[in-house]
């Protein structure tokens, strides 16, 4: 949009502004490096359509890939930000949007490791906005996978759910990408492999060999378009419900 449309939509403060936050991170042999950008962007677009929101450009880099949730920084193609940079870029844009009149924010995280940094960016932005006399900014912070409820898990994972962390480049992300961007998913490259197994502690430097060779932390083999439709539907409904409940006008 051009600035007059932006002004008309954002200035009054009633329009929910969706901020997708992604990463540039390896996603196995079969998914693109910007998977964590494409998925939350799609959720933001779908939810914004329902609630009359606007979507700002996606943050395309995120916090460092952790071995137990993203395979780790050692896998080629993973380009990440330091924690302070991750926080700073999000906080800066929140404040810029607030300076333009935005007051209702929907944070759409698509990368597990961003969570604490997103929360810190919100907290610092709220504090600094208060210093500027802005006290009515409100946020809904989401990780789309948190909306996947038990009945959905039972439908998608009849053999058991390993947890959101081990879903990195597994059935969940692959299924959604089969719906959203099928031309970017190379199912012919998918290899069935055991889920990653990690000790209940961390060592640094990490032992790269604990990450499955493929880069995915669990096998994407059972991903289907149908599962992707279910996941997209459940999470979109959840996000829309949260925005309606928490960011209603007045
Ligand atoms: Zn991912
Ligand atoms: Mn990720």
């Amino acid at each position: 949009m051009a600035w007059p449309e932006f002004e008309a939509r954002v200035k009054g403060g009633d329009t929910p502004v969706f901020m997708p936050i992604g990463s540039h991170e390896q996603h196995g042999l079969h998914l693109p490096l910007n998977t964590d950008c494409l998925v939350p962007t799609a959720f933001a677009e779908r939810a914004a359509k329902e609630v009359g929101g606007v979507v700002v450009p996606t943050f395309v880099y995120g916090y460092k890939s952790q071995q137990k949730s993203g395979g780790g920084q050692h896998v080629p193609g993973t380009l990440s930000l330091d924690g302070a940079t991750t926080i700073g870029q999000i906080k800066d844009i929140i404040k810029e949007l607030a300076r333009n009149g935005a007051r209702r924010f929907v944070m759409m995280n698509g990368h597990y490791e961003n969570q604490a940094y997103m929360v810190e960016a919100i907290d610092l932005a709220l504090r600094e906005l208060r210093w500027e006399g802005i006290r009515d900014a409100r946020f809904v912070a989401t990780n789309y996978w948190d909306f996947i409820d038990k009945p959905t898990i039972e439908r998608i994972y009849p053999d058991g759910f390993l947890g959101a962390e081990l879903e990195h480049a597994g059935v969940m992300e692959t299924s959604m990408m089969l719906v959203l961007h099928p031309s970017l998913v190379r199912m012919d490259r998918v290899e069935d492999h055991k889920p990653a197994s990690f000790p209940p502690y961390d060592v640094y430097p990490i032992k790269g060999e604990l990450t499955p060779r493929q880069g995915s932390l669990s096998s994407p083999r059972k991903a289907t378009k149908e599962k992707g439709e279910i996941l997209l539907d459940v999470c979109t409904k959840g996000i829309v419900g949260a925005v309606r409940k928490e960011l209603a006008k007045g």
Side-chain angles (χ1 to χ4, degrees), residues 22-23 25-27 36 63 65 69-70 110-113 168 173:
S23 73
E25 181 186 44
Q26 71 80 21
H27 271 72
D36 286 352
Y63 183 65
S65 180
S69 49
H111 172 62
Y112 194 86
E113 290 84 338
H168 178 72
E173 285 183 310

Side-chain angles (χ1 to χ4, degrees), residues 76-121:
T78 297
L79 312 176
S80 307
L81 301 173
D82 285 352
T85 320
T86 310
I87 296 165
Q89 61 165 2
I90 300 169
K91 187 194 76 171
D92 284 356
I93 299 305
I94 292 170
K95 291 187 67 189
E96 281 295 271
L97 287 162
R99 188 173 62 77
N100 277 271
R103 292 294 183 269
R104 301 173 211 280
F105 299 89
V106 189
M107 315 302 284
M108 308 286 304
N109 182 31
H111 172 62
Y112 194 86
E113 290 84 338
N114 283 338
Q115 293 177 80
Y117 302 90
M118 168 176 74
V119 171
E120 179 69 351

Side-chain angles (χ1 to χ4, degrees), residues 4-211:
E5 288 83 56
F6 180 93
E7 183 184 43
R9 300 290 304 282
V10 170
K11 199 177 176 184
D14 282 339
T15 301
V17 178
F18 287 74
M19 300 177 67
I21 310 172
S23 73
H24 194 283
E25 181 186 44
Q26 71 80 21
H27 271 72
L29 303 171
H30 65 298
L31 290 176
L33 294 161
N34 64 340
T35 295
D36 286 352
C37 297
L38 296 172
V39 173
T41 303
F43 278 121
E45 286 167 354
R46 287 171 181 225
K49 211 173 189 176
E50 296 268 328
V51 301
V54 297
V55 183
V56 298
T58 301
F59 291 92
V60 296
Y61 300 105
Y63 183 65
K64 293 160 196 163
S65 180
Q66 298 299 296
Q67 187 170 37
K68 290 177 176 175
S69 49
Q73 285 291 111
H74 63 293
V75 187
T78 297
L79 312 176
S80 307
L81 301 173
D82 285 352
T85 320
T86 310
I87 296 165
Q89 61 165 2
I90 300 169
K91 187 194 76 171
D92 284 356
I93 299 305
I94 292 170
K95 291 187 67 189
E96 281 295 271
L97 287 162
R99 188 173 62 77
N100 277 271
R103 292 294 183 269
R104 301 173 211 280
F105 299 89
V106 189
M107 315 302 284
M108 308 286 304
N109 182 31
H111 172 62
Y112 194 86
E113 290 84 338
N114 283 338
Q115 293 177 80
Y117 302 90
M118 168 176 74
V119 171
E120 179 69 351
I122 295 168
D123 191 61
L124 295 182
L126 278 170
R127 186 168 71 187
E128 292 176 24
L129 289 172
R130 276 197 302 272
W131 292 341
E132 292 170 18
I134 296 174
R135 294 170 184 280
D136 54 349
R138 286 148 70 193
F139 291 79
V140 170
T142 70
N143 307 294
Y144 66 79
W145 52 86
D146 289 336
F147 293 97
I148 305 172
D149 55 9
K150 221 172 158 209
T152 308
I153 287 174
E154 279 160 13
R155 283 175 80 187
I156 309 274
Y157 304 96
D159 310 327
F161 182 54
L162 297 162
E165 307 97 287
L166 289 185
E167 277 302 317
H168 178 72
V171 168
M172 182 177 75
E173 285 183 310
T174 306
S175 295
M176 291 189 295
M177 285 292 285
L178 282 171
V179 178
L180 299 172
H181 300 281
S183 65
L184 300 179
V185 184
R186 302 184 204 184
M187 285 307 280
D188 55 310
R189 287 198 189 169
V190 161
E191 295 177 9
D192 217 7
H193 65 85
K194 282 202 177 73
S197 162
F198 299 111
Y201 56 85
D202 300 298
V203 293
Y204 301 98
I206 64 160
K207 295 175 180 165
E209 65 272 19
L210 291 182
T211 299

